[in-house]
Amino acid sequence: MKLRDVEARVAVLQREIAELKEAVDSHREMDRALGVLVAVAQVPPGRAWEMLRDISVHTHIELRRVAFLLTQWGYTRILPPQVEAELERQLRARRERQARGGSAGGDRRVG
């Protein structure tokens, strides 16, 4: 293998490592946000991912950014107005479904 080939392969591997590190960081942020929704907003784990995704879709904010904002909200109680409004809308809809006796989406009891 020529030096040029080795250098090219090293460059490819370095890019792959950087991408993997970013993916791990992103996954970590998503997990934190899901934990905040479960603990602070009292959303069942099965519904937390859907809410995170829906907030991103409805506010047109990248999923990873929404996850970061929700993680911060867990201890600051501060959200950008559009994220706060969407979170409140989803929580209100969930409460209304529960009040009607329907499934609140992911609210399944084990046992």
Side-chain angles (χ1 to χ4, degrees):
M1 199 176 238
K2 294 181 180 180
L3 179 59
R4 184 174 49 218
D5 294 336
V6 171
E7 289 172 341
R9 182 70 179 140
V10 167
V12 167
L13 292 173
Q14 287 174 329
R15 281 193 299 276
E16 288 179 10
I17 289 169
E19 289 170 5
L20 288 171
K21 284 181 179 180
E22 187 173 335
V24 167
D25 289 345
S26 181
H27 193 306
R28 187 179 301 122
E29 196 67 53
M30 299 296 170
D31 285 346
R32 287 180 188 142
L34 295 175
V36 167
L37 287 172
V38 170
V40 178
Q42 299 179 344
V43 174
R47 178 70 179 111
W49 169 251
E50 294 171 11
M51 286 184 70
L52 179 61
R53 184 196 61 220
D54 290 348
I55 291 169
S56 174
V57 168
H58 293 194
T59 60
H60 306 286
I61 298 173
E62 180 184 60
L63 187 63
R64 185 173 177 179
R65 177 73 179 151
V66 170
F68 172 78
L69 293 169
L70 287 173
T71 300
Q72 299 300 306
W73 172 71
Y75 60 89
T76 66
R77 296 297 207 196
I78 299 169
L79 280 173
Q82 71 272 29
V83 175
E84 183 176 23
E86 181 59 26
L87 177 61
E88 285 298 323
R89 186 191 70 76
Q90 289 192 31
L91 292 172
R92 187 173 43 256
R94 182 175 173 272
R95 286 190 299 270
E96 289 170 0
R97 282 192 303 273
Q98 286 177 319
R100 289 192 308 263
S103 171
D107 294 1
R108 294 183 206 90
R109 298 215 184 260
V110 176

